[in-house]
Structure formats: structure tokens, C-alpha cells
Coordinates of all heavy atoms in Angstrom, one line a residue:
F1 N 11.1 -12.7 43.5 CA 10.7 -13.7 44.5 C 10.1 -15.0 43.8 O 9.5 -14.9 42.8 CB 9.7 -13.1 45.4 CG 10.2 -12.0 46.2 CD1 9.8 -10.7 45.9 CD2 11.1 -12.2 47.2 CE1 10.2 -9.6 46.7 CE2 11.6 -11.1 48.0 CZ 11.2 -9.8 47.7
I2 N 10.4 -16.1 44.4 CA 10.0 -17.4 43.9 C 8.9 -18.0 44.8 O 9.1 -18.1 46.0 CB 11.2 -18.4 43.7 CG1 12.2 -17.9 42.7 CG2 10.7 -19.8 43.3 CD1 13.4 -18.7 42.6
L3 N 7.8 -18.3 44.1 CA 6.6 -18.8 44.9 C 6.3 -20.2 44.4 O 6.4 -20.6 43.2 CB 5.4 -17.9 44.6 CG 5.6 -16.4 44.9 CD1 4.3 -15.7 44.7 CD2 6.0 -16.2 46.4
R4 N 5.8 -21.0 45.3 CA 5.4 -22.4 45.1 C 4.0 -22.6 45.4 O 3.5 -22.3 46.6 CB 6.3 -23.3 46.0 CG 6.1 -24.8 45.8 CD 7.1 -25.6 46.6 NE 6.9 -27.0 46.5 CZ 7.7 -27.9 47.1 NH1 8.8 -27.5 47.8 NH2 7.5 -29.2 47.0
R5 N 3.2 -23.0 44.4 CA 1.7 -23.1 44.6 C 1.2 -24.4 44.1 O 1.7 -25.0 43.2 CB 1.0 -21.9 43.9 CG 1.4 -20.6 44.4 CD 0.5 -19.5 43.8 NE 0.8 -19.2 42.4 CZ 0.1 -18.4 41.7 NH1 -1.0 -17.9 42.1 NH2 0.5 -18.1 40.4
P6 N 0.0 -24.9 44.6 CA -0.6 -26.0 44.1 C -1.1 -25.8 42.7 O -1.5 -24.7 42.3 CB -1.8 -26.2 45.0 CG -1.5 -25.5 46.3 CD -0.7 -24.3 45.8
E7 N -1.1 -26.9 41.8 CA -1.6 -26.8 40.5 C -2.1 -28.2 40.1 O -1.3 -29.0 39.7 CB -0.5 -26.3 39.5 CG -0.9 -26.2 38.1 CD -2.2 -25.4 37.9 OE1 -2.2 -24.2 38.1 OE2 -3.2 -26.1 37.6
T8 N -3.4 -28.4 40.2 CA -4.0 -29.7 40.0 C -3.8 -30.2 38.5 O -3.9 -31.4 38.3 CB -5.5 -29.7 40.3 OG1 -6.1 -28.7 39.6 CG2 -5.6 -29.4 41.8
K9 N -3.6 -29.3 37.6 CA -3.5 -29.7 36.2 C -2.1 -30.2 35.8 O -2.0 -30.9 34.8 CB -3.8 -28.5 35.3 CG -5.2 -28.0 35.3 CD -5.4 -26.8 34.4 CE -6.9 -26.3 34.4 NZ -7.1 -25.1 33.6
A10 N -1.1 -30.0 36.7 CA 0.2 -30.4 36.4 C 0.4 -31.8 37.0 O 1.0 -32.0 38.1 CB 1.2 -29.4 37.0
I11 N -0.1 -32.8 36.3 CA 0.0 -34.2 36.9 C 1.2 -35.0 36.4 O 1.3 -36.2 36.7 CB -1.3 -34.9 36.6 CG1 -1.6 -35.0 35.0 CG2 -2.5 -34.3 37.2 CD1 -2.8 -35.9 34.7
W12 N 2.0 -34.4 35.5 CA 3.2 -35.1 35.1 C 4.3 -34.9 36.2 O 4.1 -34.2 37.2 CB 3.7 -34.5 33.8 CG 3.8 -33.0 33.7 CD1 4.9 -32.2 34.0 CD2 2.8 -32.1 33.4 NE1 4.6 -30.9 33.9 CE2 3.3 -30.8 33.5 CE3 1.4 -32.2 33.0 CZ2 2.6 -29.6 33.2 CZ3 0.7 -31.1 32.7 CH2 1.3 -29.8 32.8
K13 N 5.5 -35.4 35.9 CA 6.6 -35.3 36.9 C 7.3 -34.0 36.8 O 7.5 -33.4 35.7 CB 7.6 -36.5 36.7 CG 7.0 -37.9 37.0 CD 6.6 -38.0 38.4 CE 6.0 -39.4 38.7 NZ 5.5 -39.5 40.1
K14 N 7.8 -33.5 37.9 CA 8.6 -32.3 37.9 C 10.0 -32.5 37.2 O 10.5 -33.6 37.1 CB 9.0 -31.9 39.4 CG 7.7 -31.5 40.2 CD 8.1 -31.3 41.6 CE 6.8 -30.9 42.4 NZ 7.1 -30.9 43.9
T15 N 10.5 -31.4 36.7 CA 11.8 -31.5 36.0 C 12.9 -31.1 36.9 O 14.0 -31.7 36.9 CB 11.8 -30.6 34.7 OG1 10.7 -31.0 33.8 CG2 13.1 -30.6 34.0
R16 N 12.8 -30.0 37.6 CA 13.8 -29.6 38.5 C 13.9 -30.4 39.8 O 13.0 -31.1 40.2 CB 13.6 -28.1 38.9 CG 13.7 -27.1 37.8 CD 13.4 -25.7 38.2 NE 13.5 -24.8 37.1 CZ 14.5 -23.9 36.9 NH1 15.5 -23.8 37.8 NH2 14.5 -23.1 35.9
S17 N 15.1 -30.4 40.4 CA 15.3 -31.2 41.6 C 14.5 -30.7 42.8 O 14.1 -29.6 42.8 CB 16.8 -31.2 42.0 OG 17.2 -29.9 42.4
S18 N 14.3 -31.6 43.8 CA 13.6 -31.2 45.0 C 14.3 -30.1 45.7 O 13.7 -29.2 46.3 CB 13.4 -32.4 45.9 OG 14.6 -33.0 46.2
Q19 N 15.7 -30.1 45.6 CA 16.4 -29.0 46.3 C 16.1 -27.7 45.7 O 16.0 -26.7 46.4 CB 18.0 -29.3 46.1 CG 18.4 -30.5 46.9 CD 18.3 -31.8 46.2 OE1 17.6 -31.9 45.2 NE2 18.8 -32.9 46.8
E20 N 15.9 -27.6 44.3 CA 15.6 -26.4 43.7 C 14.2 -25.9 44.1 O 14.0 -24.7 44.3 CB 15.7 -26.5 42.2 CG 17.1 -26.7 41.7 CD 17.1 -26.8 40.2 OE1 16.9 -28.0 39.7 OE2 17.4 -25.8 39.5
W21 N 13.3 -26.8 44.2 CA 11.9 -26.5 44.7 C 11.9 -25.9 46.1 O 11.2 -25.0 46.4 CB 11.0 -27.7 44.6 CG 10.5 -27.9 43.2 CD1 11.1 -28.4 42.1 CD2 9.2 -27.6 42.7 NE1 10.3 -28.5 41.0 CE2 9.1 -28.0 41.3 CE3 8.0 -27.0 43.3 CZ2 7.9 -27.8 40.5 CZ3 6.9 -26.9 42.5 CH2 6.8 -27.3 41.2
E22 N 12.8 -26.5 46.9 CA 12.8 -26.1 48.3 C 13.4 -24.7 48.5 O 13.3 -24.1 49.6 CB 13.7 -27.1 49.1 CG 13.0 -28.5 49.3 CD 11.7 -28.4 50.0 OE1 11.5 -27.5 50.9 OE2 10.8 -29.2 49.7
K23 N 14.0 -24.1 47.4 CA 14.6 -22.8 47.5 C 13.5 -21.7 47.4 O 13.8 -20.5 47.5 CB 15.6 -22.6 46.4 CG 16.9 -23.4 46.6 CD 17.8 -23.2 45.5 CE 19.1 -24.0 45.6 NZ 20.0 -23.9 44.4
A24 N 12.2 -22.1 47.1 CA 11.2 -21.1 47.0 C 11.1 -20.2 48.2 O 11.2 -20.6 49.4 CB 9.8 -21.8 46.8
D25 N 10.8 -18.9 48.0 CA 10.7 -17.9 49.1 C 9.5 -18.2 49.9 O 9.4 -17.9 51.1 CB 10.7 -16.5 48.5 CG 12.0 -16.1 47.9 OD1 13.0 -16.1 48.6 OD2 12.0 -15.9 46.6
A26 N 8.4 -18.7 49.3 CA 7.2 -19.0 50.0 C 6.4 -20.1 49.3 O 6.5 -20.3 48.1 CB 6.3 -17.7 50.0
K27 N 5.7 -20.9 50.1 CA 4.9 -22.0 49.6 C 3.5 -21.9 50.1 O 3.3 -21.7 51.3 CB 5.6 -23.4 50.1 CG 4.8 -24.6 49.7 CD 5.5 -25.9 50.2 CE 4.7 -27.1 49.9 NZ 5.3 -28.3 50.4
Y28 N 2.6 -22.1 49.2 CA 1.1 -22.0 49.6 C 0.6 -23.5 49.8 O 0.8 -24.3 49.0 CB 0.3 -21.4 48.5 CG -1.2 -21.2 48.9 CD1 -1.6 -20.1 49.5 CD2 -2.1 -22.2 48.5 CE1 -2.9 -19.9 49.9 CE2 -3.4 -22.0 48.8 CZ -3.8 -20.9 49.5 OH -5.2 -20.7 49.8
V29 N 0.0 -23.7 51.0 CA -0.6 -25.0 51.3 C -2.1 -24.8 51.5 O -2.5 -24.0 52.3 CB 0.1 -25.5 52.6 CG1 -0.6 -26.9 53.0 CG2 1.6 -25.7 52.4
Q30 N -2.8 -25.6 50.8 CA -4.3 -25.6 50.8 C -4.8 -26.5 51.9 O -4.5 -27.7 51.9 CB -4.9 -25.9 49.5 CG -6.4 -25.9 49.4 CD -6.9 -24.5 49.5 OE1 -6.5 -23.6 48.7 NE2 -7.8 -24.2 50.5
N31 N -5.5 -26.0 52.9 CA -6.1 -26.8 53.9 C -7.6 -27.1 53.5 O -8.0 -26.7 52.4 CB -6.1 -26.1 55.2 CG -4.6 -25.8 55.7 OD1 -3.8 -26.7 55.5 ND2 -4.4 -24.6 56.1
E32 N -8.4 -27.7 54.3 CA -9.7 -28.1 54.0 C -10.6 -26.9 53.7 O -11.4 -26.8 52.8 CB -10.4 -28.9 55.1 CG -9.8 -30.3 55.2 CD -10.5 -31.2 56.2 OE1 -11.6 -30.7 56.7 OE2 -10.1 -32.3 56.5
K33 N -10.5 -25.9 54.6 CA -11.4 -24.7 54.4 C -10.6 -23.4 53.9 O -11.3 -22.5 53.5 CB -12.0 -24.4 55.8 CG -13.0 -25.5 56.2 CD -13.7 -25.1 57.5 CE -14.7 -26.2 58.0 NZ -15.4 -25.8 59.2
A34 N -9.3 -23.4 54.1 CA -8.6 -22.2 53.7 C -7.2 -22.6 53.2 O -6.9 -23.8 53.1 CB -8.6 -21.2 54.9
G35 N -6.4 -21.6 53.1 CA -5.0 -21.9 52.7 C -4.1 -20.9 53.4 O -4.5 -20.0 54.1
E36 N -2.8 -21.3 53.4 CA -1.8 -20.5 54.1 C -0.5 -20.5 53.4 O 0.0 -21.5 52.8 CB -1.7 -21.1 55.5 CG -0.7 -20.3 56.5 CD -0.7 -21.0 57.8 OE1 -1.4 -22.0 58.1 OE2 0.1 -20.5 58.7
W37 N 0.2 -19.3 53.5 CA 1.6 -19.2 52.9 C 2.6 -19.5 54.0 O 2.5 -19.0 55.1 CB 1.8 -17.8 52.4 CG 1.1 -17.6 51.1 CD1 -0.1 -17.0 50.9 CD2 1.6 -17.8 49.8 NE1 -0.5 -16.9 49.6 CE2 0.6 -17.4 48.9 CE3 2.7 -18.4 49.3 CZ2 0.7 -17.5 47.5 CZ3 2.9 -18.6 47.9 CH2 1.9 -18.1 47.0
F38 N 3.6 -20.4 53.7 CA 4.7 -20.6 54.6 C 5.9 -20.0 54.0 O 6.3 -20.3 52.9 CB 4.9 -22.1 54.8 CG 3.7 -22.8 55.6 CD1 2.6 -23.2 54.9 CD2 3.8 -22.9 57.0 CE1 1.6 -23.8 55.7 CE2 2.8 -23.4 57.7 CZ 1.6 -23.9 57.1
L39 N 6.6 -19.1 54.8 CA 7.7 -18.4 54.2 C 9.0 -19.0 54.6 O 9.3 -19.3 55.8 CB 7.6 -16.9 54.8 CG 6.4 -16.1 54.6 CD1 6.5 -14.7 55.1 CD2 6.0 -16.1 53.1
K40 N 9.8 -19.2 53.6 CA 11.2 -19.6 53.8 C 12.1 -18.4 54.0 O 13.0 -18.4 54.8 CB 11.7 -20.5 52.6 CG 13.1 -21.0 52.8 CD 13.6 -21.8 51.6 CE 15.0 -22.3 51.7 NZ 15.1 -23.3 52.8
N41 N 11.8 -17.4 53.3 CA 12.5 -16.1 53.4 C 11.4 -15.0 53.5 O 10.3 -15.1 53.1 CB 13.3 -15.8 52.1 CG 14.3 -16.9 51.9 OD1 15.1 -17.2 52.7 ND2 14.3 -17.5 50.7
K42 N 11.8 -13.9 54.2 CA 10.9 -12.8 54.4 C 10.5 -12.2 53.1 O 11.3 -11.9 52.2 CB 11.5 -11.8 55.3 CG 10.6 -10.6 55.7 CD 11.2 -9.7 56.7 CE 10.3 -8.6 57.1 NZ 10.9 -7.6 58.0
L43 N 9.2 -12.0 52.9 CA 8.6 -11.3 51.8 C 8.0 -10.0 52.2 O 7.4 -9.9 53.3 CB 7.5 -12.2 51.1 CG 7.9 -13.5 50.4 CD1 6.6 -14.1 49.9 CD2 8.9 -13.2 49.3
P44 N 8.0 -9.0 51.3 CA 7.3 -7.7 51.6 C 5.8 -8.0 51.5 O 5.4 -9.0 50.9 CB 7.8 -6.8 50.5 CG 8.2 -7.7 49.4 CD 8.8 -8.9 50.0
E45 N 5.0 -7.1 52.1 CA 3.6 -7.2 52.0 C 3.1 -7.2 50.5 O 2.2 -7.9 50.2 CB 2.9 -6.1 52.8 CG 1.4 -6.2 52.8 CD 0.8 -5.1 53.7 OE1 1.5 -4.6 54.5 OE2 -0.4 -4.8 53.4
S46 N 3.8 -6.4 49.7 CA 3.5 -6.4 48.3 C 4.8 -6.0 47.5 O 5.7 -5.4 48.1 CB 2.4 -5.5 47.9 OG 2.8 -4.1 48.2
W47 N 4.9 -6.3 46.3 CA 6.0 -5.9 45.4 C 5.4 -5.7 44.0 O 4.3 -6.0 43.7 CB 7.2 -6.8 45.5 CG 7.0 -8.2 44.9 CD1 7.3 -8.6 43.7 CD2 6.4 -9.3 45.6 NE1 7.0 -10.0 43.5 CE2 6.5 -10.4 44.7 CE3 5.9 -9.5 46.9 CZ2 6.0 -11.7 45.0 CZ3 5.5 -10.8 47.2 CH2 5.5 -11.9 46.3
R48 N 6.3 -5.2 43.1 CA 5.8 -4.8 41.8 C 6.5 -5.6 40.7 O 7.6 -6.0 40.8 CB 6.0 -3.3 41.5 CG 5.3 -2.4 42.5 CD 5.7 -1.0 42.3 NE 5.1 -0.1 43.4 CZ 5.3 1.2 43.5 NH1 6.1 1.8 42.7 NH2 4.7 1.8 44.5

């Protein structure tokens, strides 16, 4: 599974295309008080 998460230390430009980033199975979005995962594809509750 491919996950997309915030990373404040990565302030340089991305290398892969936006289309490749959009293929992530899930993306984490940080809100003011909490965060939430948005799923592009169904993920199991856990995996190994």
C-alpha cells in the first residue's frame, strides 16, 4: 500500500509527477485540531 503524508522538512520540489502522487491508496490531511485519512482505495484495518 502507498500512503501520502505531510512532511514539513521536505521543502524542496517533488520529483515524481502529480499523477503518480495521486495514485496513493490513502492521503493524510492535517486539520487545525486533528487529522484524517482520505482513502482512494480500500485499505484493511491493519496489515503487516
Side-chain angles (χ1 to χ4, degrees):
F1 298 109
I2 296 175
L3 305 181
R4 182 175 179 176
R5 295 189 285 172
E7 180 49 73
T8 57
K9 293 180 181 178
I11 59 175
W12 52 89
K13 296 297 182 182
K14 294 171 181 171
T15 299
R16 292 178 182 252
S17 67
S18 58
Q19 289 86 352
E20 289 179 280
W21 278 77
E22 291 300 326
K23 292 178 182 177
D25 296 293
K27 177 181 179 179
Y28 184 88
V29 176
Q30 182 69 53
N31 301 317
E32 288 186 8
K33 295 184 178 180
E36 184 178 357
W37 286 94
F38 291 89
L39 304 185
K40 181 181 181 65
N41 301 306
K42 186 176 181 180
L43 290 179
E45 184 177 334
S46 66
W47 66 97
R48 299 171 185 178

